[in-house]
Amino acid sequence: MSDGQKARVQAQFGPSAQDYVASAGHAGGDDLERLVAWGRTRGGQRVLDVATGGGHTALAFAGFAPAVVATDLTLPMLEAARGFIWGRGADTVRFLASDVEALPFRGASFGVVTCRIAAHHFPAILTALKEIARVLKPGGCLLLQDILGHDDRELAAFILDVEKRRDPSHVRALPQREWAAFLKAAGMTVIDESILSKVRPWEEWTGRMRMKVEAKADLERFVLDAPARCREAFGFRVEQGRIKSFTDRMILLRADRD
Ligand SMILES: C[S@@+](CC[C@H](N)C(=O)[O-])C[C@H]1O[C@@H](n2cnc3c(N)ncnc32)[C@H](O)[C@@H]1O
């Protein structure tokens, strides 16, 4: 990964680490429940949670997996996750700072890899997926959740602009067909998938990234001035000229290593 992207990720997430631990949208939801339900079918496997953020996925898997290792590129995030998870009594979870593109593990070390709400920050998705496939045992499984990208060019460009204005470390959300192709190229086969909607309360969503007042006002103006079909596609709720929330879709994928 380029030093520029690494610095962008660390600059975005380092100061917000505790906000991610406290975020209700990360702490739970239908998406996390689905990943856990898929994970439970794999029973007693060692789990790697990449880009653990505030640690909610690692904590959920520590409830039934014999061993969980959590990794993240951003050290303050990893420290916040460790404080949170160990504070909940899950002191068998281990933490390691690392880029998903260069995981510090031997090949075939894990039965399950989880990656939730993070892949849109990975600049070289195929490199990341190949690295995940390398550390998975044959027949092991990747449980992934991410923002779903759009096939419609105008909608994709609009939401990419919104995301990047809020978080300059956002790279791109992949549409469904690209996920299947990248996973196949990395040596994994999709065996289950589903799509869920998630409502984003505007104040909380922009606040978590500590946007400056002016940048936030510019973003709001950008959305309000955009073509109506863009706002409608993402369910932007506007009251008295102010944005209250919008809705995006999440893709959940279960892919087995070939
Ligand atoms: C939204 S948080 C993840 C949320 C978390 N997985 C959960 O379930 O609550 C995104 C995380 O991705 C991490 N990240 C971004 N790029 C990364 C990379 N190349 N390698 C590892 N972690 C990365 C960031 O540091 C940040 O902590």
Side-chain angles (χ1 to χ4, degrees):
M1 168 195 266
S2 75
D3 287 349
Q5 174 62 9
K6 196 170 179 170
R8 271 191 292 279
V9 166
Q10 291 170 336
Q12 278 310 124
F13 288 98
S16 305
Q18 285 301 339
D19 297 337
Y20 276 84
V21 170
S23 162
H26 291 77
D30 295 350
D31 62 322
L32 186 54
E33 282 174 23
R34 182 70 52 89
L35 295 183
V36 166
W38 281 343
R40 280 186 186 280
T41 66
R42 295 300 171 127
Q45 297 285 336
R46 191 163 176 245
V47 175
L48 171 66
D49 183 38
V50 298
T52 198
H56 296 288
T57 304
L59 178 64
F61 277 72
F64 62 91
V68 176
V69 180
T71 60
D72 200 285
L73 189 61
T74 308
L75 202 53
M77 193 60 112
L78 210 54
E79 285 163 355
R82 185 176 54 203
F84 166 61
I85 290 176
W86 286 2
R88 293 291 178 98
D91 53 9
T92 55
V93 180
R94 291 286 163 261
F95 298 85
L96 264 178
S98 85
D99 184 342
V100 64
E101 292 181 15
L103 295 169
F105 307 105
R106 279 200 288 272
S109 321
F110 295 93
V112 174
V113 174
T114 54
C115 181
R116 175 172 174 252
I117 332 177
H120 54 277
H121 297 288
F122 302 165
I125 195 72
L126 184 56
T127 308
L129 292 177
K130 281 184 172 169
E131 186 61 351
I132 287 171
R134 182 186 68 76
V135 302
L136 272 174
K137 294 177 181 167
C141 131
L142 168 63
L143 303 177
L144 183 139
Q145 184 263 51
D146 200 23
I147 303 166
L148 180 63
H150 274 263
D151 289 315
D152 180 298
R153 277 186 177 209
E154 186 181 36
L155 298 181
F158 165 72
I159 202 67
L160 182 64
D161 214 337
V162 171
E163 292 276 9
K164 276 183 174 288
R165 283 165 182 254
R166 177 225 181 209
D167 169 7
S169 73
H170 180 105
V171 176
R172 184 170 167 251
L174 297 183
Q176 196 166 5
R177 64 191 156 74
E178 283 192 45
W179 271 118
F182 276 122
L183 285 162
K184 192 172 166 45
M188 292 181 272
T189 303
V190 175
I191 55 167
D192 212 342
E193 61 192 309
S194 82
I195 290 171
L196 299 175
S197 293
K198 201 153 192 160
V199 177
R200 307 289 191 184
W202 189 251
E203 285 304 314
E204 185 197 317
W205 189 71
T206 50
R208 200 162 45 242
M209 275 303 174
R210 293 166 188 258
M211 293 187 75
K212 296 215 168 69
V213 176
E214 202 172 303
K216 191 175 149 191
D218 282 351
L219 173 56
E220 187 160 24
R221 244 187 327 272
F222 171 77
V223 171
L224 295 176
D225 290 346
R229 75 179 286 268
C230 294
R231 279 192 306 282
E232 283 159 14
F234 296 96
F236 272 90
R237 201 162 61 76
V238 178
E239 283 175 16
Q240 295 174 336
R242 303 304 306 271
I243 301 172
K244 297 294 173 195
S245 65
F246 73 102
T247 302
D248 57 9
R249 292 175 307 159
M250 302 281 144
I251 185 160
L252 286 95
L253 292 157
R254 178 156 69 126
D256 278 358
R257 199 197 129 175
D258 299 338

